[in-house]
Amino acid sequence: MSPTETHINIFSLNCWGLKYVSRHRSERIQAITRYLESSQFDIIALQELWVYADYDIVRSRLSKCLPFSKFFYSGALGAGLAIFSRFPIVAATIHPYSLNGSPLDVIAGDWFVGKAAASVLISHPTLGQVQVFNTHLFAQGGEGGPEHHRAHRLVNAWEFAKLAKQAAELGRYVIAAGDFNSIPTTLPMTVIRNHASLSDAWEATHPPSSFTSATSPSMPSPSQAIEMFGVTADSPLNTYSAGKQLDVHARAWQGKRLDYILFRDPAPPLAPAASLPTLVATNARVLLTDPVPGSPFSYSDHFGVSATLQIKYPGHGRDPTMSNIELRTAQKQPQSTIPALAAPGPAQSSTMLAAADARAVIGALTTCYRYSRTRAKRHLSLFGLSVGALIFLVATATLFPTVATPFIVLGGAATTWLGTTMLYAGFVYGRWEANALMNVIEELELYQKSVEVAASTGELEASIKP
């Protein structure tokens, strides 16, 4: 194995690159590109890189060190996702999430950009196939709800976890990066890490005290919060967050950790375990915490995150008698969701989403389903009122003086627009949301039942035993 292929260095950043809206966008994209050009990352995942011209700038400047890249399209305005790789990209795909908020929520814009899970399949010289995911989950809902907002992010989390799990079951290593819009203790991150058996590079390389000391009476400084908790958003050190109205969690922790780099090994195939390499996180950092050099603004409204994954073989060496094909088809147990602080051994237990967590997700989705049905009926009622108002205007138009004609026409146009919008929101989107929720609810109910049956028969313990 070449000494240069003993590690994989990954970087992820939400660039906040919405055209006409994001402040200092062009200057920041140039600064981000200069930083990446001078760094030595093997894989880079960028979110909110919505303007193709900005992607083109990054691609051209990084083409010598990271010659392979993919810009992903989704929704009306694009997913804003891009992946750059030093290793050859042999396939690429994007999975738009089935729920991304409401089309009526124009300001938030999640529905229009089509939040998605993008991925590329890279050919690594020693690991073989590695599937690299880049995602940006639904933004609204906060850490505790309301449920009808949190449900959309939970649907995103479940769909993402299934994709990562399926990739590992195909015998691929999995690396996942992005803005998950969730702090580590929330249900969406529990779903992602447990159902897909993904390890968190930050938690794997930082002591547990980093996650519990926030309960201390003394509040950490903003810089300490970054070092201790891995804060990537809503930090007082970020010029775009300074003075912003923050929620309770961000105020208590001096920001939030919303950006992650996750990873796992392939699921065990039907072959004897021997020498399949293991990915081990050896370093994770929060980067780009200072303002752009020579400028009074930060690189983005998020900080960047990086992780170094060591490619480690059982027994600290590779069996020289094994070919690359034999090496990649040898059995290997996947890593646990949160590895021990010590260097993990080659065989580790898998995790799975607990039945209690599945019930919690089902509860949130069911609440959202009921809310969705009620909201759809309200929108259709407004559609009916709009039709009635339009008929009234047409029928009584001759009773008004000629000078009122422009106002009647304007009122008719507004009523027509409102009625059309309410028909779309109540019938088309209302049915869309309800059906998508019901699909995931029934899927989770089947999963929950299978876990409970396996647990009662003892098959669950056997299935996750190393």
Side-chain angles (χ1 to χ4, degrees):
M1 181 169 57
S2 171
T4 60
E5 305 303 344
T6 59
H7 297 80
I8 301 178
N9 296 311
I10 306 114
F11 175 82
S12 177
L13 173 67
N14 180 323
C15 299
W16 193 38
L18 187 61
K19 196 171 186 177
Y20 306 126
V21 175
S22 301
R23 287 174 286 168
H24 314 111
R25 193 197 87 248
S26 297
E27 299 92 329
R28 292 187 295 99
I29 293 298
Q30 292 286 352
I32 291 169
T33 304
R34 287 194 297 270
Y35 171 80
L36 296 177
E37 193 177 18
S38 63
S39 304
Q40 295 183 334
F41 298 114
D42 300 308
I43 297 170
I44 294 173
L46 300 181
Q47 305 87 46
E48 293 199 13
L49 191 68
W50 276 304
V51 181
Y52 187 85
D54 292 344
Y55 162 75
D56 214 23
I57 291 172
V58 180
R59 178 181 62 176
S60 61
R61 295 275 293 274
L62 299 184
S63 59
K64 291 185 178 179
C65 54
L66 301 175
F68 307 97
S69 64
K70 181 69 176 75
F71 181 84
F72 295 90
Y73 303 88
S74 178
L77 301 177
L81 303 174
I83 297 176
F84 304 83
S85 171
R86 184 167 64 86
F87 310 106
I89 295 176
V90 298
T93 187
I94 185 167
H95 174 90
Y97 294 125
S98 57
L99 289 177
N100 278 310
S102 169
L104 296 181
D105 193 359
V106 178
I107 295 177
D110 290 75
W111 187 85
F112 296 93
V113 302
K115 294 291 182 66
S119 73
V120 297
L121 186 63
I122 65 174
S123 178
H124 191 274
T126 56
L127 297 177
Q129 291 188 342
V130 180
Q131 191 146 356
V132 180
F133 288 91
N134 184 15
T135 192
H136 189 183
L137 301 192
F138 177 64
Q140 290 191 12
E143 276 60 58
E147 294 287 22
H148 62 273
H149 280 159
R150 189 171 74 131
H152 283 215
R153 195 184 302 169
L154 284 168
V155 170
N156 295 175
W158 174 251
E159 292 176 350
F160 182 85
K162 288 196 301 178
L163 293 172
K165 185 172 183 287
Q166 290 165 3
E169 289 171 348
L170 291 174
R172 300 166 180 171
Y173 290 84
V174 174
I175 296 173
D179 177 0
F180 290 83
N181 264 319
S182 306
I183 62 174
T185 55
T186 52
L187 191 55
M189 292 311 301
T190 299
V191 170
I192 289 172
R193 290 182 301 193
N194 287 2
H195 189 64
S197 295
L198 289 168
S199 299
D200 183 345
W202 179 272
E203 292 189 2
T205 55
H206 289 76
S209 59
S210 297
F211 309 102
T212 59
S213 59
T215 58
S216 172
S218 60
M219 179 181 292
S221 68
S223 58
Q224 288 175 329
I226 293 172
E227 293 296 325
M228 296 167 63
F229 312 131
V231 165
T232 62
D234 291 343
S235 169
L237 296 181
N238 191 298
T239 61
Y240 298 109
S241 300
K244 175 182 173 183
Q245 184 66 34
L246 303 177
D247 62 24
V248 174
H249 181 91
R251 292 196 300 270
W253 291 57
Q254 298 280 26
K256 296 180 180 180
R257 181 158 82 97
L258 304 180
D259 304 83
Y260 300 79
I261 294 175
L262 312 172
F263 64 97
R264 67 161 292 170
D265 297 334
L270 300 177
S275 301
L276 190 70
T278 302
L279 291 177
V280 179
T282 58
N283 184 42
R285 298 176 59 199
V286 178
L287 302 174
L288 301 182
T289 57
D290 295 325
V292 173
S295 301
F297 48 81
S298 298
Y299 285 87
S300 175
D301 61 348
H302 283 235
F303 297 143
V305 291
S306 71
T308 299
L309 303 181
Q310 180 184 2
I311 302 172
K312 185 176 180 181
Y313 289 93
H316 307 284
R318 170 178 174 172
D319 185 350
T321 64
M322 296 186 71
S323 66
N324 284 336
I325 296 178
E326 292 172 329
L327 183 64
R328 291 195 290 268
T329 56
Q331 181 182 9
K332 165 68 181 63
Q333 292 286 355
Q335 285 187 297
S336 61
T337 300
I338 303 178
L341 294 178
Q348 299 192 28
S349 61
S350 176
T351 59
M352 62 191 307
L353 186 65
D357 292 327
R359 281 194 297 272
V361 176
I362 292 171
L365 300 190
T366 302
T367 299
C368 185
Y369 179 83
R370 296 193 187 104
Y371 177 85
S372 176
R373 295 292 299 270
T374 301
R375 182 178 56 190
K377 291 178 180 177
R378 185 168 63 248
H379 288 158
L380 290 175
S381 297
L382 288 173
F383 164 71
L385 290 174
S386 299
V387 172
L390 185 60
I391 293 173
F392 172 80
L393 286 174
V394 172
T396 61
T398 57
L399 302 178
F400 295 94
T402 305
V403 70
T405 300
F407 298 99
I408 295 173
V409 172
L410 182 61
T415 304
T416 302
W417 171 82
L418 178 62
T420 303
T421 301
M422 290 300 101
L423 176 62
Y424 175 81
F427 181 73
V428 179
Y429 175 71
R431 294 290 295 273
W432 179 316
E433 182 182 38
N435 289 340
L437 287 166
M438 188 53 64
N439 277 335
V440 179
I441 289 171
E442 293 183 352
E443 190 176 345
L444 279 164
E445 286 174 343
L446 291 172
Y447 173 83
Q448 176 191 341
K449 184 175 180 180
S450 68
V451 171
E452 291 172 344
V453 169
S456 64
T457 59
E459 295 177 6
L460 178 62
E461 290 77 4
S463 66
I464 64 173
K465 186 178 296 182

